[in-house]
Each structure stands twice: as C-alpha cells, then as structure tokens.
Amino acid sequence: MAAFISKRMLRSFRALHSVGRPSSNGAKFAASHRSHGTCSSLYGEGLFSAERSGFLLARSMIRRFSTTILTPGADEGAFPSELLSTKPVVATPDRTIGLCQDLLIPVTNFHNEDKGFMVLAGDVFDVPIRKDIIHRVVRWQLAKRQQGTHSTKTISEVSGTGRKPWKQKGTGRARHGSLRGPQFRGGETKHGPKPRSHAFKLNKKVRRLGLKIALSARLLVFDDLAVPMHKTKNIVSYYNQMESTKKVLLVDGGPIDEKLKLATQNLHYVNVLPAIGLNVYSILLHDTLVMSRDAVNSIVQRMHTPINR
C-alpha cells in the first residue's frame, strides 16, 4: 500500500513541477541568452518558485495523509478508499486452498465459546491439493500396516508318505511319484504365499507433503479437548452442534485424556488420536478434523523439522 501511495504522490508532484517549467522553445531561448544574463534570472526564479510550491504542496499532502486514520468510510480528510485493501483478515470457509498463505482462524471449544484466534502456517495448512500424492501415501500406509502372516505349505511341509503310489507302467493309470502333490487332496500348494513384508519405500518428502495436503482440508481448532465428565451424552451433544458433520477426528497434543477416551469409545463416528499418531489415512476417513492448540503446535514443529537422511 505504501508503494501505491508514494507512486500517486510522485505523479502529482511531477504534474505540479511541470506547470512552472517553460516550454522547449523557452528553454532554447534561455539557453541562447544565458551568457547575456537577460532571461537567466527570470528563468531561475520561475523554476525555483514552481519547485518550491510543488514541494510545499506535496509536504502538506504527506502531513494530511500521515495523520489520518486509515479506515474505509471515514469523514473528510480520510485516506482514498480506492487505495485501501478490502481483503478480509479472517479466512472464510470459501477460501481458495493452495495459496500457501498463513491462515487466521477462530478458536473455540466444545461449548462453542470464543477463545480468540490462531495463526496457522501456510506451508503446512494451505498446500495445493495433489491427489496423486495422497494416493501414493495411502497405498504406502496400507501396505506397511499389512501383517503379511499368510502362509501355505509346500510338498516338504505337508504330512504323508513319500513312496511312489504305484508303478510307472502297466496299470493304465496316470503316472505319479508322490501323493503329496498339488493335484491330490491334502497335498501341497504350488506358488502359494509365504510370510513377508508388503511395505515399500516412499520418500520422506512425499510422506510429509501428503500429510500437509490432508491437513489443508476442513479443520477446526479447539483451545483444548478437556471434558468435564466421561459421559457419552456430552460428546453426542457437542457432535450435534457441528453442522454437516458425519465423522469427527479429535487430535490432542499430548496423551489422550482418560475422560475423553471413555466418552468417545462407544461412538463409531468420533475417534481420538494423539498428535504423534496423526496420519493421512485417518484424516481421509473423517470429514471433520478437530485439533487442539497443542496439537497444531506439535504438527507445525514436526513439519518444520529437517529431514534426516
């Protein structure tokens, strides 16, 4: 805004300065007779008076604008309304996601009380949406949590004799060397699964970016997640106050409060996680993410920690 003010005042000062400046012909005439001293004094006095008047007018404008309260719709002497920014300070729900701008959002609690505001880091909570990154992180997470305990028996592991069931020729039957083969009942399993890990490598930068993208969705910040009692009906009443919400994920900064854990354990649409266990898949399973102040600070510190290689 200061740049716009200075540019506008500079243009006005130049316009005033050009009023007292003579034309090109007058300048040539003054230059040709400057040695004789006939018009040089007049030219210098006119130029000095024009510059001085323009300077005084610009200084009065600076004093006028610098002592004015910069509020839209003020009385006479206020700052020009076209130079004031009309952009709201508080982020609205219909904001454009992915601008990497710091967000100023209101803080509340379970009783819907006003607890002030909190600034969310734009490089963590306002990242452009990348569906391909989310897909890769979810696949990595589901593959890593897979137990991989599946197992089948080979021919050396199934029970049974190892002798040849009948002779090779002369019986008219198909030739076989063992009754533990895959074609017999109770025999082995060919090319079956064995215990193994399904995890695959995914770069830490991609994992961190996936969590940032998931955090850029719908988010509510609570002052804390403390509840007075461990009754489930209190959580149900708090849940009913939230508009257009089906599943809620509560994230606290430290260990989960025992009262909150008891109050939510019978509700399939309300889940609780500590900040250290927050992950992309859990966020995507819920349409509303509620985090405490401590959880937000913990996540920001976690996202800003350099990656160890």
Side-chain angles (χ1 to χ4, degrees):
M1 185 181 294
F4 291 134
I5 297 171
S6 60
K7 289 181 179 179
R8 184 172 181 178
M9 295 179 63
L10 184 59
R11 287 197 297 267
S12 62
F13 177 76
R14 287 177 177 174
L16 292 173
H17 179 70
S18 61
V19 171
R21 181 176 295 177
S23 61
S24 60
N25 297 328
K28 293 179 181 178
F29 178 79
S32 61
H33 293 80
R34 189 169 299 176
S35 59
H36 300 286
T38 56
C39 298
S40 59
S41 60
L42 297 175
Y43 175 76
E45 290 176 359
L47 181 61
F48 176 77
S49 61
E51 289 183 352
R52 187 170 182 273
S53 60
F55 175 75
L56 292 177
L57 183 58
R59 186 171 62 179
S60 64
M61 291 174 63
I62 292 174
R63 287 179 179 177
R64 176 186 174 188
F65 289 141
S66 61
T67 57
T68 304
I69 301 176
L70 302 181
T71 55
D75 297 335
E76 184 179 358
F79 204 80
S81 59
E82 63 270 11
L83 296 182
L84 293 177
S85 175
T86 58
K87 184 178 180 180
V89 178
V90 180
T92 55
D94 55 348
R95 62 181 177 87
T96 303
I97 300 177
L99 300 180
C100 293
Q101 297 179 351
D102 293 346
L103 306 177
L104 184 65
I105 65 173
V107 179
T108 181
N109 58 7
F110 284 117
H111 301 284
N112 201 17
E113 298 174 349
D114 186 12
K115 294 295 183 179
F117 296 90
M118 187 173 186
V119 178
L120 302 181
D123 59 342
V124 177
F125 295 95
D126 194 22
V127 180
I129 303 300
R130 290 278 303 275
K131 293 183 179 180
D132 56 326
I133 299 295
I134 293 293
H135 178 258
R136 291 177 61 185
V137 175
V138 169
R139 283 190 63 248
W140 168 81
Q141 190 173 338
L142 294 181
K144 190 175 181 62
R145 80 172 188 176
Q146 195 168 345
Q147 289 185 354
T149 56
H150 38 53
S151 179
T152 54
K153 292 183 178 181
T154 62
I155 195 170
S156 62
E157 295 172 339
V158 297
S159 61
T161 180
R163 66 181 291 269
K164 189 176 177 66
W166 48 80
K167 63 180 183 178
Q168 184 79 0
K169 294 179 175 294
T171 62
R173 307 180 67 179
R175 50 197 176 190
H176 293 290
S178 175
L179 293 177
R180 294 184 294 174
Q183 69 273 26
F184 291 107
R185 182 176 177 271
E188 67 164 334
T189 301
K190 279 292 186 182
H191 311 294
K194 282 293 184 180
R196 67 181 180 92
S197 173
H198 292 265
F200 56 88
K201 182 181 180 298
L202 188 63
N203 293 338
K204 292 181 181 179
K205 288 184 178 181
V206 180
R207 286 183 265 163
R208 180 171 291 187
L209 180 58
L211 185 56
K212 290 180 180 180
I213 294 172
L215 289 172
S216 300
R218 186 178 181 184
L219 173 65
L220 299 177
V221 178
F222 279 17
D223 190 35
D224 53 33
L225 299 182
V227 291
M229 300 176 62
H230 63 278
K231 294 293 185 180
T232 305
K233 63 180 181 181
N234 296 334
I235 301 296
V236 172
S237 64
Y238 302 150
Y239 170 81
N240 293 332
Q241 295 176 3
M242 299 181 181
E243 299 178 356
S244 63
T245 299
K246 295 182 179 180
K247 295 191 69 176
V248 182
L249 179 62
L250 305 177
V251 182
D252 204 353
I256 303 301
D257 185 24
E258 192 65 26
K259 294 181 181 179
L260 181 62
K261 188 185 300 183
L262 293 175
T264 58
Q265 64 181 359
N266 288 335
L267 300 176
H268 67 276
Y269 48 83
V270 179
N271 295 311
V272 185
L273 274 179
I276 195 173
L278 187 62
N279 57 86
V280 176
Y281 188 66
S282 297
I283 296 176
L284 295 180
L285 289 180
H286 304 80
D287 55 2
T288 301
L289 177 63
V290 178
M291 301 179 65
S292 63
R293 286 182 182 265
D294 296 338
V296 171
N297 296 330
S298 177
I299 290 297
V300 171
Q301 183 180 3
R302 173 178 160 187
M303 294 294 103
H304 289 169
T305 302
I307 297 176
N308 296 326
R309 300 187 180 276

